[in-house]
Amino acid sequence: MLRLEHVVVNYGSIQALRDVSFTVEEGEIVTLIGSNGAGKSTTMRAITGLKELSGGKIYYEDQDISGWTTRKKVEHGIILSPEGRQIFPRFSVLENLKMGGYLRTKAQCEETLQVVHELFPILKEREGQAAGTLSGGEQQMLAVGRAMMGKPKLLLLDEPSLGLAPLIVKDIFHLIKQIREMGTTVLLVEQNARSALKISDRAYVLETGKIVLAGTAGELLRSDEVQKAYLGM
Ligand SMILES: Nc1ncnc2c1ncn2[C@@H]1O[C@H](COP(=O)(O)OP(=O)(O)OP(=O)(O)O)[C@@H](O)[C@H]1O
Ligand SMILES: [Mg+2]
């Protein structure tokens, strides 16, 4: 469904991605693991068109989408829930959700809103509340719910568990599994490698802008390198 081939991304003279190649098949949950600064968010930005490529190609559903605008990618179902949530704190929960459906018709939004409310009942209960007054976990659910409002085929989640208490983290990962069961393909970026690998089919390890390891989630959970560097064992 998604294929990156030798992707290079620069910020001025800094090369953030040196050579990133990986694939995501339809229906999978694929995780990108990596330390701070490895280039995980940059990879997400490159896929969504928020950052232009300096080299390489990105293919989606067998089309070269390397030069597509973010808007065109969103229209084709590539949707990001960004690092740090980026919700609009003064707007209500419902208004934030509606922003996620900005390219879709009112009727389509109404239909998806029901699905999102089934996934995240708290977002229905709190629909009139200012988003900035939600708890951290609720804000994360709002960020994922807002991405779901765009009806993603490929949902990109950048650090959905960051800063959340262990119990909430469990909820978030459970929800990601549910989202996949609904037919959405998921590319996940996580520092919480263990929880991410447990719900993933496959994973890649990114180090200073390069993919250094690939395998099934089970293989990576058992790998010495991953255990030492990312699982604290
Ligand atoms: N806007 C920017 N301008 C210059 N350099 C940047 C910019 N954004 C990121 N970088 C650099 O690119 C590299 C990769 O950053 P990126 O945010 O992709 O890492 P990350 O893997 O998401 O890290 P984290 O786990 O901390 O979120 C880092 O060295 C970072 O300093
Ligand atoms: Mg990041």
Side-chain angles (χ1 to χ4, degrees), residues 40-41 45 83 158-159 189:
K40 305 180 299 296
S41 298
R45 282 186 217 122
E83 184 174 24
D158 194 347
E159 308 257 15
V189 158

Side-chain angles (χ1 to χ4, degrees), residues 78-108:
I78 303 175
I79 299 179
L80 171 70
S81 171
E83 184 174 24
R85 298 160 200 155
Q86 314 287 346
I87 58 165
F88 300 95
R90 289 170 188 276
F91 288 91
S92 73
V93 168
L94 183 61
E95 285 163 340
N96 269 273
L97 285 177
K98 285 186 172 164
M99 285 179 226
Y102 74 109
L103 291 176
R104 306 178 64 223
T105 66
K106 212 171 162 200
Q108 286 173 327

Side-chain angles (χ1 to χ4, degrees), residues 11 14 16 34-43 45 83 159 191:
Y11 294 104
I14 300 169
S35 322
N36 290 120
K40 305 180 299 296
S41 298
T42 302
T43 304
R45 282 186 217 122
E83 184 174 24
E159 308 257 15
Q191 289 204 34

Side-chain angles (χ1 to χ4, degrees), residues 2-49:
L2 181 76
R3 187 167 84 247
L4 278 73
E5 283 185 359
H6 307 296
V7 166
V8 178
V9 170
N10 299 327
Y11 294 104
S13 60
I14 300 169
Q15 197 162 66
L17 301 185
R18 294 187 289 152
D19 182 6
V20 174
S21 301
F22 66 86
T23 59
V24 180
E25 303 298 334
E26 195 169 350
E28 279 190 315
I29 300 179
V30 172
T31 293
L32 269 185
I33 300 168
S35 322
N36 290 120
K40 305 180 299 296
S41 298
T42 302
T43 304
M44 295 300 219
R45 282 186 217 122
I47 297 168
T48 50

